[in-house]
Amino acid sequence: MGERDGIPISLEELNKLKEIAERARRKVIRMLFYDQTIHVGSSLSSIEILTTLFYRYVKDGKDPINRDWFILSKGHAAPALYAIMSERGLVSDDDLWKIQDISGMLQGHPETFIPGVDMSTGSLGQGLSFGIGVAQGIKMRGGSGRVYVVMGDGEQDEGQIWEAMTHAVARKLDNLIAFVEINGFQLDDSTGSVKPKEFLPDVWRSVGWKVLNCDGHDFISLISTIDEAIKAKAPVVIFANTVRGKGFPVIENTKKQRSSPDDARKYLLNA
Amino acid sequence: MMQGNIYSMRDTFGKLLVEMGEKLKDIVVITADVGDSSRASYFKEKFPDRYFNVGISEQDMIDFAAGLSATGFKPVVVDFAMFLMRAWEQIRNAVARMNLDVKFVVTHSGYSDSGDGSSHQCLEDISLMRVLPNMKVIIPADPADIKRSFPVIMEELRGPLYYRVGREYSPSITDGLEYDFKLGKAYVLKEGDDVTIMGAGVVLWDALRAAEELEKKGISASVINLLSIKPIDEQTIEYYARKTGRIVTIEEHSIYGGIGSAVSEVVVKRYPVPMRFVGATGFGRSARSQRDLLDFYGINYKSIISSVMELLK
């Protein structure tokens, strides 16, 4: 731990996380060679969050109550999850290049038959409710597991989020940490032009969640925020500011999810 | 024959749920603020730590149940039939898709919530549930059928299952009959040679009544309690199609996509015979009793008799 300047991570570990994230980012972009319909923009916005969680927090194991659970509620960011899983050795690079192919294992959205996937998602607004069920189950059995749920900002339009938000507070689930990625875009347009989102942290706070904010691409910000979340005695939501298409200039900070194999090739050659 | 309103469907279920809770410690009961009306609350009195009222939040309820199931519990989701349909997509995309061990018990099905009008009457659920992958659909005929089937379902059947219970109305249909519930098995309530009447749920009382009336006209009818709508007993259906050459189905549900449809899918595949369908063809309206609504919409023994006469022409 880097105690000298209050940064709770060594330079070595930080560099390792950066390298993993960068490799995962390149893998997501490389997937464009093989399938141009994957959601690259949303995936790139989640890379650092997933890297941080899987390489520093999510405790593996077979025992469902003494391990951690990870739920990618914004299931369209599956390529990011798969890229991190390939880094962890759970799926092969060959699997990655067969994403969405009829002969491949990796589906367009996460499925529980894929190694390392805890919930089949793809229909927005459901991950938090499932996470509440798991967190409650762990509590009832006296387990030590924690549940991490990653959602998008557009996803917050779903009414079920409201149902789940109030439910987690009613159950006092302090083993539940939710992320809302604020990348400013949903499928059709910017989030601001579809439905206002600015009030969201106030709503979550008002109903009883501990609300934290961080830079979703900055490891130090992510780590210090998650460390604080773990200590909280209430369900915690972390609003993570991210950039859609982060690091891939042709779509960065636009509503575009996709790009051409040519753009991907240029990026991978030059970056 | 007496209709005999001795036990209510929901009371029988509620009491049995408590018995099962004593036996199986992993059972948790989840409801969306209808614990009292569905009798799920009997479970709360005995096992408050294993009972969850999630509030009026059906969608959240389904994924919450899915999450509990993922940690090894056996969730029984109890709700009014109609309002569970609000979360059909959650049932599809979480529970059925992941093949999780969540049991859905619905009360107030069909016309059983007679007074609350069309918004509360659920005539589409069998159809919506039987199209889901991994989902089983069971419809007990009366309290005796609940006692036969529900313990087996909780103790022996893994995976998603839809269990359709009414409210109070529960004429005696299977009392005194000796059979054990088995998934995918239909039961003969009466043997006859000229026509077979098939269905599930409380309307089987009308099937038996129709058979009695037909007997007076010299027509002998078999009556079959399908009970397990999915999987369905193809062998028994084929046997009676061959034996009697005519089938009338009855259901407290839309005739589109429900029990009649399920039977006809088997019949056209294995042994096509003429069929008639007695069931709902329109929306419900309010009434003082379920029986009034069944009669109003022609889901009764009179319609069965006229369907049989049509087939025999």
Side-chain angles (χ1 to χ4, degrees):
Chain A
M1 292 287 171
E3 289 162 24
R4 193 178 46 185
D5 51 6
I7 299 168
I9 180 172
S10 69
L11 197 58
E12 195 187 354
E13 192 187 347
L14 183 62
N15 284 334
K16 191 183 137 207
L17 292 180
K18 280 182 179 168
E19 283 164 21
I20 292 162
E22 193 45 39
R23 281 200 300 271
R25 173 162 279 115
R26 291 168 70 90
K27 282 178 176 173
V28 168
I29 294 170
R30 187 165 173 188
M31 285 181 215
L32 274 173
F33 291 175
Y34 305 95
D35 194 315
Q36 285 85 60
T37 67
I38 59 168
H39 297 255
V40 175
S42 294
S43 295
L44 295 182
S45 111
S46 304
I47 293 275
E48 282 78 13
I49 295 172
L50 301 192
T51 305
T52 309
L53 285 176
F54 280 109
Y55 279 87
R56 206 179 150 91
Y57 294 98
V58 175
K59 185 171 64 189
D60 280 333
K62 290 208 164 109
D63 178 358
I65 58 162
N66 290 310
R67 67 158 174 113
D68 292 341
W69 290 65
F70 173 81
I71 297 153
L72 187 64
S73 193
K74 49 172 281 192
H76 50 284
L81 181 62
Y82 301 153
I84 301 290
M85 282 176 358
S86 85
E87 287 293 311
R88 295 171 65 214
L90 288 171
V91 300
S92 69
D93 281 4
D94 283 349
D95 288 324
L96 289 185
W97 314 141
K98 280 193 177 172
I99 186 169
Q100 296 188 161
D101 187 272
I102 189 71
S103 68
M105 173 177 61
L106 302 181
Q107 306 298 299
H109 290 86
E111 297 280 357
T112 45
F113 61 73
I114 300 169
V117 172
D118 283 338
M119 181 192 182
S120 297
T121 54
S123 172
L124 294 174
Q126 299 196 32
L128 187 60
S129 298
F130 184 84
I132 292 169
V134 173
Q136 178 66 35
I138 289 171
K139 287 231 163 220
M140 287 170 78
R141 301 262 201 229
S144 63
R146 199 171 273 123
V147 182
Y148 298 94
V149 181
V150 172
M151 296 174 281
D153 45 5
E155 183 174 6
Q156 305 300 302
D157 290 349
E158 292 283 5
Q160 189 178 346
I161 301 278
W162 168 258
E163 297 181 358
M165 195 194 292
T166 46
H167 190 191
V169 171
R171 303 258 163 259
K172 303 184 174 65
L173 296 173
D174 57 3
N175 56 347
L176 175 66
I177 296 177
F179 285 80
V180 178
E181 261 192 51
I182 303 291
N183 68 24
F185 291 95
Q186 48 200 99
L187 198 56
D188 261 4
D189 218 328
S190 69
T191 51
S193 61
V194 178
K195 265 186 179 172
K197 305 283 187 293
E198 294 78 17
F199 60 83
L200 281 171
D202 292 332
V203 173
W204 286 75
R205 192 177 296 112
S206 300
V207 300
W209 285 66
K210 183 171 178 68
V211 176
L212 301 173
N213 296 283
C214 76
D215 178 335
H217 295 302
D218 180 295
F219 289 110
I220 293 171
S221 175
L222 276 163
I223 288 168
S224 58
T225 310
I226 298 169
D227 282 347
E228 191 181 343
I230 285 171
K231 288 182 208 141
K233 295 286 171 223
V236 181
V237 59
I238 297 172
F239 281 84
N241 288 309
T242 58
V243 176
R244 181 118 93 154
K246 171 75 175 177
F248 190 31
V250 288
I251 61 167
E252 190 175 272
N253 205 26
T254 71
K255 73 165 193 169
K256 280 190 207 153
Q257 286 283 22
R258 291 146 190 166
S259 185
S260 67
D262 260 2
D263 285 333
R265 194 169 291 113
K266 277 180 206 153
Y267 171 86
L268 292 170
L269 287 173
N270 297 327
Chain B
M1 193 193 298
M2 292 289 292
Q3 282 207 13
N5 243 330
I6 309 165
Y7 317 99
S8 91
M9 294 291 269
R10 59 177 172 176
D11 284 343
T12 309
F13 160 69
K15 286 173 193 161
L16 204 51
L17 187 59
V18 176
E19 284 177 31
M20 295 316 298
E22 272 162 11
K23 212 165 172 186
L24 303 174
K25 303 297 175 200
D26 286 337
I27 290 182
V28 288
V29 172
I30 307 161
T31 184
D33 215 36
V34 292
D36 286 337
S37 357
S38 65
R39 306 297 187 251
S41 57
Y42 294 175
F43 192 90
K44 180 189 181 180
E45 288 161 23
K46 199 77 191 263
F47 308 107
D49 295 342
R50 287 153 58 193
Y51 177 90
F52 301 96
N53 176 7
V54 301
I56 308 161
S57 314
E58 292 79 10
Q59 300 171 41
D60 178 57
M61 170 170 69
I62 303 304
D63 287 296
F64 175 64
L68 280 167
S69 145
T71 54
F73 287 97
K74 284 178 92 66
V76 181
V77 170
V78 187
D79 199 2
F80 288 8
M82 176 50 81
F83 302 118
L84 194 70
M85 296 309 109
R86 184 177 187 131
W88 181 87
E89 194 259 8
Q90 279 73 8
I91 296 172
R92 179 197 185 275
N93 269 332
V95 180
R97 184 171 161 217
M98 291 193 273
N99 199 16
L100 294 172
D101 191 15
V102 180
K103 305 293 189 287
F104 302 95
V105 178
V106 294
T107 60
H108 299 64
S109 61
Y111 290 108
S112 66
D113 191 356
S114 57
D116 281 316
S118 58
S119 64
H120 284 55
Q121 292 161 11
C122 193
L123 305 166
E124 303 82 7
D125 52 335
I126 299 172
S127 163
L128 286 165
M129 287 298 136
R130 80 186 186 91
V131 296
L132 293 176
N134 300 317
M135 183 67 72
K136 301 165 198 77
V137 179
I138 307 295
I139 306 174
D142 60 5
D145 236 8
I146 294 179
K147 287 179 191 163
R148 255 179 222 118
S149 56
F150 191 66
V152 178
I153 283 163
M154 292 312 298
E155 287 181 280
E156 294 174 22
L157 301 184
R158 224 208 131 269
L161 186 145
Y162 186 76
Y163 194 75
R164 191 186 204 236
V165 175
R167 200 167 169 232
E168 306 296 358
Y169 178 68
S170 45
S172 172
I173 297 160
T174 71
D175 276 317
L177 292 180
E178 294 284 330
Y179 62 83
D180 293 328
F181 167 78
K182 195 160 172 264
L183 182 70
K185 178 103 181 66
Y187 300 94
V188 182
L189 300 179
K190 183 185 169 302
E191 287 285 2
D193 299 319
D194 302 322
V195 63
T196 304
I197 308 165
M198 295 182 177
V202 292
V203 290
L204 284 172
W205 180 85
D206 288 89
L208 289 170
R209 173 81 193 269
E212 264 184 18
E213 298 291 324
L214 289 165
E215 209 78 60
K216 293 176 194 161
K217 299 177 198 278
I219 300 160
S220 88
S222 290
V223 179
I224 309 293
N225 177 8
L226 290 169
L227 184 55
S228 176
I229 303 303
K230 188 189 169 196
I232 200 160
D233 189 343
E234 297 203 6
Q235 270 188 322
T236 299
I237 292 171
E238 181 186 340
Y239 177 84
Y240 283 90
R242 286 178 185 276
K243 181 183 177 189
T244 64
R246 304 163 190 92
I247 294 173
V248 175
T249 57
I250 178 155
E251 60 196 299
E252 192 187 2
H253 180 272
S254 167
I255 58 166
Y256 303 108
I259 296 175
S261 302
V263 170
S264 65
E265 286 162 16
V266 176
V267 168
V268 293
K269 189 170 69 180
R270 296 181 69 130
Y271 191 80
V273 295
M275 287 184 64
R276 290 292 181 275
F277 307 91
V278 176
T281 50
F283 258 77
R285 53 186 279 174
S286 296
R288 297 275 161 79
S289 79
Q290 185 173 354
R291 190 67 223 178
D292 284 349
L293 280 169
L294 289 171
D295 287 335
F296 184 84
Y297 285 104
I299 305 169
N300 60 11
Y301 65 93
K302 291 176 190 160
S303 301
I304 296 174
I305 292 167
S306 44
S307 296
V308 170
M309 299 318 284
E310 225 180 280
L311 283 176
L312 285 166
K313 254 185 215 161

